[in-house]
Structures are given as C-alpha cells and as structure tokens.
Amino acid sequence: MFGEREDLDPARPAHFGIPPDALADERPDPRPDEARRMGLSRHTEEGAVLYFASSLSRDKPRHRMIAWVLLITFAAPALYMLLLLL
C-alpha cells in the first residue's frame, strides 16, 4: 500500500531538478598542479581568475590582449604603491 510506485522514474540524485550528469565538466582542467593541490577551483575567487587566465591561448590575438589587460589590472595597484613610497 505505501511501497514504491512503478509509474515514477527511479530516484536519482538531482540538484534542483538538474540531473548530475548535466553538471559534469568534460573539458580538460587548465589549472596548474599547484593550484589543484591548494584547492583552488573555479568556484573560489582566486581560483576563478586563475582558471580564466589559464584557459587563454597565446595563439589568439584577442586572448593576448585580454592577458595584457589582466596584467595591467593586477600590477597597477602594486606599481602605484611603489611610486608612492619613492
């Protein structure tokens, strides 16, 4: 009387109705080994930046431009503080 119903799909784990295989990432992981050991993934703030920067390709001109913008963005505060100290 209160057993399993045959007209329903078998129970499987899902996150908000999304099957777990839909969340699987089949792309290769571009992170360095050190970042993996430290636990940096694309779900952390620092790991997301590292994951994004690691996925850039030096063969594509647009990726090179983005890499330069990232370099300037992260180096500018350090250079500014260095200039203030001098």
Side-chain angles (χ1 to χ4, degrees), residues 8 18 57 59 72 78:
L8 298 176
I18 301 171
S57 171
D59 298 332
I72 292 168

Side-chain angles (χ1 to χ4, degrees), residues 43-73:
H43 305 292
T44 62
E45 189 173 332
E46 297 85 4
V49 173
L50 182 65
Y51 191 88
F52 175 72
S54 298
S55 66
L56 295 175
S57 171
R58 70 176 61 203
D59 298 332
K60 299 178 181 177
R62 191 171 181 178
H63 286 202
R64 291 178 77 115
M65 181 187 67
I66 291 171
W68 276 105
V69 168
L70 281 173
L71 180 66
I72 292 168
T73 301

Side-chain angles (χ1 to χ4, degrees), residues 6-61:
E6 288 81 23
D7 60 334
L8 298 176
D9 290 336
R12 61 180 188 176
H15 186 67
F16 295 108
I18 301 171
D21 52 340
L23 300 175
D25 192 9
E26 281 123 30
R27 293 175 290 172
D29 192 2
R31 293 177 301 156
D33 292 333
E34 295 85 15
R36 274 189 226 116
R37 274 188 265 136
M38 290 189 318
L40 294 176
S41 70
R42 62 183 182 183
H43 305 292
T44 62
E45 189 173 332
E46 297 85 4
V49 173
L50 182 65
Y51 191 88
F52 175 72
S54 298
S55 66
L56 295 175
S57 171
R58 70 176 61 203
D59 298 332
K60 299 178 181 177

